[in-house]
Amino acid sequence: MSQSVERALLILPALARGPAGLGEVAAALDVHKSTALRLLRTLHAHGYVYRQPDGRYRLGARLFALAAEAVEGLDVREIAHPHLVALNAATGHTVHLAVHQDDEVLYIDKVESRYPVRMYSRIGKPVPLTVAAVAKLLLADLPEAERRALAARIDYPRHTARSTPDAEAFLRELALVREQGWASDLGGHEEFINCVGAPVRGPDGRVVAALSVSAPNVVVTAAELLDLLPLVRRTADAVGQDYSGTPSGTPAPTGTQEHA
């Protein structure tokens, strides 16, 4: 990598912590002030940094505009699909990808099981909010006020004896999902179907999608399906890394902090 390019790139995370003067930038890069000034002037000319009236520099509007354009251009389904196919090949079970839109959680991709017994689910179909693993993962990431408001206004159908009975139990389940970083549906929607899922996180650590592996208990027991959790979580992490542009092996934000 060009030394000048590398130094210019190092300026951006330095300024992300807040405005800084020329001396502070030079110290952060371990270069002479004249070198730092040359780099800052180049970035300023292209709108990536901005020189404030007090002489300090901060990140520029052009950088934020590029970031917004990049996020809007991302298609999590397209990015995730090869990973879903690989997870399906490794397990043989049905794999789903879902996103949260308004008060619904929708399947946006599905790879069918290799077994004759198939799940009745389809792309574009809303999932049961109070029992589905993917729904719990997506809703658990909402700010607390939004979680509570949602829990108060939705219905709690008793699909099976294991379905979530009420808002209080639902909020407890979402709190558990936030803490452990994964979710399951063990006969909560259909008595004979079990499911385990993990969140796909974006560059800011927020959950942008959720993926899951589902199977009927005539094919695999709930305990055996839960044994696949490490693989499911690794797959979700890999999708998140591709979505965020994070190099393999680089830890991504966990998003475990409570959102206001």
Side-chain angles (χ1 to χ4, degrees):
M1 180 186 291
S2 164
Q3 189 177 50
S4 294
V5 172
E6 185 173 15
R7 285 171 173 170
L9 291 174
L10 289 174
I11 289 176
L12 301 179
L15 295 184
R17 295 189 286 270
L22 176 60
E24 294 173 288
V25 173
L29 271 60
D30 193 23
V31 298
H32 193 272
K33 286 185 180 181
S34 61
T35 300
L37 180 60
R38 175 172 51 82
L39 295 171
L40 286 165
R41 282 176 173 171
T42 300
L43 292 171
H44 181 271
H46 290 277
Y48 297 118
V49 303
Y50 174 75
R51 188 173 186 271
Q52 300 180 158
D54 63 4
R56 293 186 300 165
Y57 293 85
R58 61 173 171 80
L59 295 179
R62 178 61 178 151
L63 191 65
F64 295 108
L66 281 176
E69 290 173 13
V71 170
E72 289 176 3
L74 290 175
D75 182 348
V76 69
R77 181 184 183 276
E78 180 180 355
I79 293 169
H81 187 73
H83 296 279
L84 305 187
V85 171
L87 182 58
N88 168 265
T91 65
H93 306 313
T94 301
V95 180
H96 287 108
L97 183 73
V99 296
H100 180 216
Q101 294 181 353
D102 299 321
D103 271 2
E104 290 186 329
V105 171
L106 306 172
Y107 289 129
I108 60 171
D109 202 359
K110 176 184 180 182
V111 184
E112 289 280 8
S113 163
R114 72 166 67 111
Y115 304 107
V117 180
R118 298 293 178 90
M119 287 188 59
Y120 178 68
S121 59
R122 65 177 185 271
I123 296 173
K125 180 182 178 182
V127 309
L129 291 181
T130 60
V131 290
V134 290
K136 295 173 189 176
L137 289 161
L138 289 157
L139 300 180
D141 191 61
L142 293 174
E144 182 178 5
E146 292 184 33
R147 291 200 307 272
R148 291 189 173 278
L150 176 68
R153 67 176 177 266
I154 62 176
D155 296 324
Y156 294 85
R158 298 305 299 269
H159 303 286
T160 75
R162 297 180 182 178
S163 297
T164 307
D166 52 40
E168 184 178 352
F170 187 50
L171 288 171
R172 286 199 303 270
E173 178 73 9
L174 295 186
L176 176 62
V177 170
R178 284 180 68 89
E179 180 181 354
Q180 66 188 13
W182 57 275
S184 64
D185 169 16
L186 305 180
H189 184 219
E190 297 176 89
E191 288 279 4
F192 61 94
I193 297 290
N194 298 310
C195 177
V196 62
V200 174
R201 297 187 183 275
D204 60 355
R206 298 296 303 272
V207 177
V208 297
L211 63 82
S212 65
V213 169
S214 304
N217 54 26
V218 296
V219 172
V220 62
T221 66
E224 290 170 332
L225 192 67
L226 286 169
D227 286 341
L228 297 175
L229 180 59
L231 177 59
V232 173
R233 299 185 75 173
R234 287 197 300 271
T235 302
D237 288 345
V239 175
Q241 287 176 348
D242 283 356
Y243 182 83
S244 304
T246 305
S248 179
T250 300
T254 61
T256 54
Q257 290 85 6
E258 183 66 71
H259 308 303

